[in-house]
Structure formats: C-alpha cells, structure tokens
C-alpha cells in the first residue's frame, strides 16, 4: 500500500527542507484560459525552484499530441541541465493547488526515479503563499547547467504508461466480460464532456467516452482545506477518495487505467489513488488519453 505521507508534503516541510530538495514549478493551463505560467513563475516562485514546462519536456516526435511522456534520453538530458541527480528528492508544485504537478510526479515515476524521492506540494503555490513563506522572482525557467549525459539515467518502469494498443485491449476485455474482468478505465474529464453533452476544448475532437469507462472528474478529488480560503485546494483524505471512486463503480482491488483529455488530469487521479492506498503496480495512465483515442477513426465512442 502506498502512503500519502511520502507522496504529498506540506508547505512547512518544503520550507524546512529547501536546502535538501530540488523544487519544480509545474504550472500549466489549457490554452483558452489565457494564463502565462512562465511569466507568473518569473514574478514569483518558491526560492530555488525551476520551471518544468510540460509542453517542452515531452516526446518531441509526436506533434499531433500535446505533451506525451518524453523519451528516457530527452528526460535524462533535461534533468542533467537542471542539475537533478537520480538520488535527489524532487518536490513538484503548481499554481492550481493539486493539478499539473501530478503529471510531472507521474513522469518521474515513469522514468524510474527512486521510490519515495518524488513528492507533490499539497496545496501548491496558494498554500505556500497562505503560510507566508517567501518567494523569489527571476527568469530561472530553463535548464541552466551544462548537460552531463552520464549523470541522470532514466530507467523507464514497465506498466506506468498505457498506450493506444493497451487501452483498446482493456476495452475489449471489459466488453467481453460485461465489465466484470480486466483493467478498469477511469476518466478524469468533467461529466459533460464524458457524456458527450458538452464539447471538447480542442477543435475537431468529439466528446463522449470509451466503452465501459467510469467517470471521476479530477476536481472531485480535491477540496478547499479551509472554508475561509477556498482558493487553496488540497487533496482529499484517503477515506474520502476511496469512497468517491467506490461510489463511481470503481473496484479499488482491481487494476485501473486513468485517462482524461491529454494526460494531465489523469495524473491527478493517479496520485489521488496512490494516496488512497491503491498499489502502484495496479495503476497506469493512458498517456495520449482522449485526444489520441478520439482522433483515431477506429476508436469506439459512446
């Protein structure tokens, strides 16, 4: 069983350990939200943090998909330039509270970073600011150190990343068993897009869902930590998360693939399920998610 204590860390813990950890601001928003995360980073970030650009540290060969997981070589080279070693404890955060940082957490998992050496700042930048801890400004956004190709060697972990072939196979097994057997599929998109009642954000992309998929919108796994400050969103308790998934028809004892629009919020569900005690070996993220699936003319959409 995974422990939420080694996955989620508090702002005071990060503040006390800044000299012992490597920190990344992983903020990211959908294009229509018109947020300039790089500019926001320059204006204020946790001291010593670097900016992890999800749209740059990705598979550069798949131009039709927004931000697929990078190759081990590309990821390792980026970590070399950031000055991150395989034994470093990495803490990721974002300006949403608990959001895109989970995608980067999952990426480190996929690249084989040591267990217990990657954590998400619960509450993100809003929680850091609420605690009154200092920030710094400046454009330390890009990897700045010379690359050392022998310093960080990514070791991809089998089963952490799901591709199109695997998702189709999972669907077929669910269909033939009436949903009683095989890997479950849990979609993190809002209910309207999942049911097909609301459009997708990306032009030309139909809404709807995969056969036998369950819907747990990613916004349901977080909640304001303090009613007086609803802007600070934190991960819900393990008990609340287990109840949420169970109520949605998900069997937490069976393997689960999480999916979403493009692989970002699927990672929020991935982290939520880990904190709820679901074994890591029972979890995977469909990297291409709905964008890849729905663009394929052979895919079945319901």
């Amino acid at each position: 069983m995974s422990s939420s204590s080694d996955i989620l860390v508090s702002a005071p813990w990060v503040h006390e350990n800044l000299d012992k950890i490597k920190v990344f601001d992983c903020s990211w928003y959908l294009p229509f939200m018109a947020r300039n995360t790089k500019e926001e980073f320059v204006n204020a970030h946790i001291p010593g943090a670097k900016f992890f650009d999800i749209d740059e540290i990705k598979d550069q060969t798949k131009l039709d998909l927004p931000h697929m997981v990078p190759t081990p070589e590309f990821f390792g080279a980026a970590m070399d330039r950031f000055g991150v070693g395989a034994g470093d404890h990495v803490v990721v955060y974002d300006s949403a509270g608990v959001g895109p940082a989970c995608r980067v957490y999952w990426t480190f998992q996929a690249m084989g970073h040591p267990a217990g050496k990657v954590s998400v700042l619960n509450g993100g930048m809003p929680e850091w600011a609420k605690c009154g801890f200092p920030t710094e400004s400046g454009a330390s956004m890009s990897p700045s150190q010379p690359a050392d190709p022998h310093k960080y060697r990514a070791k991809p972990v089998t089963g952490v990343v799901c591709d199109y072939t695997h998702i189709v196979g999972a669907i077929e097994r669910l269909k033939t068993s009436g949903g009683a057997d095989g890997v479950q599929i849990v979609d993190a998109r809002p209910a309207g897009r999942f049911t097909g009642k609301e459009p997708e954000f990306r032009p030309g992309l139909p809404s709807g869902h995969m056969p036998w998929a369950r819907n747990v919108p990613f916004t349901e796994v977080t909640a304001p930590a303090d009613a007086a400050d609803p802007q600070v969103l934190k991960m819900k308790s393990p008990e609340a998360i287990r109840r949420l998934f169970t109520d949605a028809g998900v069997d937490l004892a069976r393997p689960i693939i999480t999916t979403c629009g493009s692989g970002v919020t699927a990672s929020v569900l991935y982290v939520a399920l880990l904190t709820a005690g679901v074994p890591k070996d029972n979890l995977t993220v469909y990297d291409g998610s709905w964008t890849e699936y729905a663009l394929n003319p052979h895919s079945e959409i319901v």
Side-chain angles (χ1 to χ4, degrees):
M1 301 288 279
S2 298
S3 170
S4 61
S5 62
D6 62 2
I7 299 169
L8 302 174
V9 292
S10 68
W13 184 91
V14 173
H15 184 253
E16 292 170 9
N17 291 277
L18 272 179
D19 60 337
K20 305 179 186 72
I21 59 178
K22 299 296 175 71
V23 183
F24 284 104
D25 184 329
C26 312
S27 300
W28 177 88
Y29 292 90
L30 287 164
F32 80 91
M33 300 178 80
R35 292 280 296 265
N36 188 328
T37 52
K38 291 183 179 180
E39 185 176 286
E40 292 175 15
F41 175 86
V42 170
N43 291 336
H45 54 264
I46 292 175
K50 300 292 186 180
F51 188 78
F52 189 110
D53 193 334
I54 293 174
D55 287 329
E56 289 183 6
I57 303 177
K58 65 176 184 179
D59 188 336
Q60 300 289 326
T61 66
K62 297 181 179 178
L63 302 180
D64 56 332
L65 297 170
H67 28 245
M68 299 285 277
V69 69
T71 63
E73 296 76 16
F74 191 92
F75 183 82
M79 293 305 103
D80 288 342
R81 294 193 298 273
F82 276 129
V84 174
D88 287 335
H89 192 140
V90 174
V91 174
V92 294
Y93 76 91
D94 56 56
S95 54
V98 182
C102 295
R103 169 72 185 192
V104 179
Y105 174 93
W106 169 78
T107 301
F108 272 98
Q109 295 287 305
M111 292 293 110
H113 202 75
K117 289 288 188 177
V118 189
S119 303
V120 177
L121 170 54
N122 199 12
M125 193 62 172
E127 173 69 2
W128 182 267
K130 179 185 175 184
C131 290
F133 294 134
T135 61
E136 67 179 12
S137 59
S140 57
M141 297 181 299
S142 302
S144 56
Q145 299 186 14
D148 179 355
H150 302 293
K151 187 175 182 181
Y152 193 105
R153 293 187 179 180
K155 300 176 181 179
V157 178
T158 302
V160 178
V161 183
C162 172
D163 61 18
Y164 183 81
T165 300
H166 289 130
I167 201 74
V168 170
I171 291 170
E172 289 305 311
R173 187 167 179 180
L174 288 167
K175 287 169 64 177
T176 56
S177 68
D181 191 26
V183 183
Q184 302 163 103
I185 301 169
V186 185
D187 195 320
R189 290 175 300 148
R193 290 162 59 194
F194 179 84
T195 60
K197 292 180 179 179
E198 296 178 4
E200 289 292 320
F201 299 122
R202 295 169 180 83
L205 192 66
S207 55
H209 61 271
M210 303 169 199
W212 288 98
R214 303 289 186 175
N215 186 215
V216 178
F218 77 97
T219 52
E220 297 298 313
V221 302
T222 60
D226 184 349
D229 192 356
Q231 299 303 312
V232 180
L233 296 176
K234 291 187 175 182
M235 193 72 75
K236 288 182 178 178
S237 70
E239 296 76 17
I241 292 171
R242 286 194 289 269
R243 185 167 55 251
L244 176 69
F245 280 85
T246 300
D247 289 348
V250 180
D251 183 349
L252 297 180
R254 288 170 54 191
I256 298 167
I257 297 170
T258 62
T259 182
C260 61
S262 61
V264 176
T265 58
S267 302
V268 178
L269 296 193
Y270 176 87
V271 171
L273 287 163
L274 283 175
T275 66
V278 175
K280 178 181 175 181
D281 290 345
N282 271 9
L283 295 173
T284 185
V285 171
Y286 177 22
D287 194 19
S289 280
W290 187 249
T291 299
E292 179 180 54
Y293 183 84
L295 287 176
N296 191 314
H298 302 292
S299 297
E300 182 180 355
I301 296 175
V302 295

